[in-house]
């Protein structure tokens, strides 16, 4: 029988969890996620977090910065895995917290929560190295398919949250609610755009240099916000050296929560606390000093793409 509190502590210490416990944990979180909508309705106060990318020690610093769960309610905007050396532990910790405190932590899907991307950028190899088989990777990928695509905080005039950005195929949030999310992320279409698109100073929709999704500008953000009664769009997906970046008259913000990304970028990170009046407080933090670099496992270099 899975002991969640014990699992949480073991994962924090980077101790290997038995494969049967990982399978049970994944099955339990799927039972929770299957009841959640494509766009989760969340109450304030809440703290929004950007990409984690397998940097477990920095995730622990994040909780010290924003407050431990369940005392603080959290929304994570995806990209839990890949690039960092502790993708599995990072995702296991977030899953265990979700199962332990289902109403206090929400996880939505990032563009890295897919089978194809994780076979290229590290998560697949990490699972294979740590367990000697791909079973754990398969269990986690099944969970990916059940993750929500977005969240709406605070109701009318609230905060719309998504990993990547907007889509030319989506005018209203209700259109997101009817997407069949329980699948591998398609290479194009609305679901793909939500996970891959980026804001940019462009006059209209433009092709993204990432090879998926679109670039969208002020006009698209203003129109979407007005149509849907949204005061802020919060997203992740892009490295920000200062930890966060507000754009388009503060109608949109990028939140980045992986400090010193890839252990070499030198950036700081942040989380965004939204209070009951929808006020914003950015809490910044630096990379963990507790991480023992000597303990980081050897890892073959991966292909870079537009971060």
């Amino acid at each position: 029988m899975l002991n969640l509190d014990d699992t949480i502590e073991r994962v924090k210490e980077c101790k290997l969890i038995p494969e049967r416990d990982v399978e049970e944990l994944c099955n339990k979180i799927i039972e929770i996620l299957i009841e959640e909508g494509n766009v989760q309705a969340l109450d304030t106060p809440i703290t929004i977090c950007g990409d984690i990318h397998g940097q477990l020690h920095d995730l622990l610093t994040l909780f010290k910065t924003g407050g431990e769960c369940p005392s603080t309610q959290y929304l994570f905007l995806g990209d839990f895995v890949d690039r960092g050396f502790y993708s599995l532990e990072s995702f296991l910790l977030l899953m265990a917290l979700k199962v332990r405190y289902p109403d206090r932590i929400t996880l939505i899907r990032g563009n890295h929560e897919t089978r194809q991307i994780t076979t290229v950028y590290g998560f697949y190899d990490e699972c294979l190295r740590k367990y000697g088989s791909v079973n754990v990777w398969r269990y986690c990928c099944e969970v990916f398919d059940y993750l929500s695509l977005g969240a709406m905080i605070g109701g009318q005039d609230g905060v719309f949250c998504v990993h990547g950005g907007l889509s030319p195929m989506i005018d209203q949030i209700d259109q997101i609610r009817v997407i069949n999310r329980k699948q591998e992320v398609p290479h194009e279409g609305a679901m793909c755009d939500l996970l891959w698109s980026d804001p940019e100073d462009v006059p209209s929709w433009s092709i993204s240099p990432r090879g998926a999704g679109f670039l969208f500008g002020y006009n698209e953000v203003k129109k979407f916000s007005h149509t849907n009664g949204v005061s802020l769009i919060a997203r992740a997906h892009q490295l920000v050296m200062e930890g966060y970046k507000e754009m388009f008259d503060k109608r949109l913000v990028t939140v980045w929560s992986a400090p010193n990304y890839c252990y070499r970028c030198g950036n700081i990170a942040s989380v965004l606390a939204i209070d009951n009046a929808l006020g914003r407080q950015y809490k910044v933090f630096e990379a963990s000093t507790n991480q023992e670099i000597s303990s980081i496992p050897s890892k073959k270099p991966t292909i870079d793409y537009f971060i």
Side-chain angles (χ1 to χ4, degrees), residues 14 89 100 105 120 138-139 141 143 150 158 174 186-187 210 236 248 254-255 297:
C14 291
E89 289 82 3
R100 181 70 174 83
I105 182 168
V120 177
R138 288 197 181 109
Y139 302 148
C141 287
V143 175
D174 282 346
H187 294 292
R210 293 182 188 267
F248 308 141
T254 298
V255 181

Side-chain angles (χ1 to χ4, degrees), residues 146-211:
Y146 286 87
L147 294 169
S148 296
L149 303 178
M152 189 69 204
I153 297 172
Q156 190 67 21
D157 296 324
V159 183
F160 174 68
C161 304
V162 68
H163 176 72
L166 303 181
S167 169
M169 301 178 67
I170 299 291
D171 297 317
Q172 299 183 4
I173 293 175
D174 282 346
Q175 293 172 270
I176 303 174
R177 294 189 170 100
V178 298
I179 293 174
N180 174 23
R181 78 175 192 263
K182 297 179 182 68
Q183 58 173 313
E184 179 77 345
V185 178
H187 294 292
E188 58 185 10
M191 182 174 171
C192 171
D193 297 341
L194 294 170
L195 274 58
W196 280 93
S197 293
D198 294 298
E200 189 59 77
D201 289 320
V202 291
S204 185
W205 298 105
S206 302
I207 299 298
S208 172
R210 293 182 188 267

Side-chain angles (χ1 to χ4, degrees), residues 4-22:
L4 284 172
D5 290 330
D6 180 64
T7 298
I8 289 169
E9 292 308 312
R10 286 176 61 86
V11 170
K12 287 180 178 179
E13 297 171 3
C14 291
K15 293 180 179 178
L16 206 62
I17 306 302
E19 184 178 313
R20 64 181 181 276
D21 287 357
V22 177

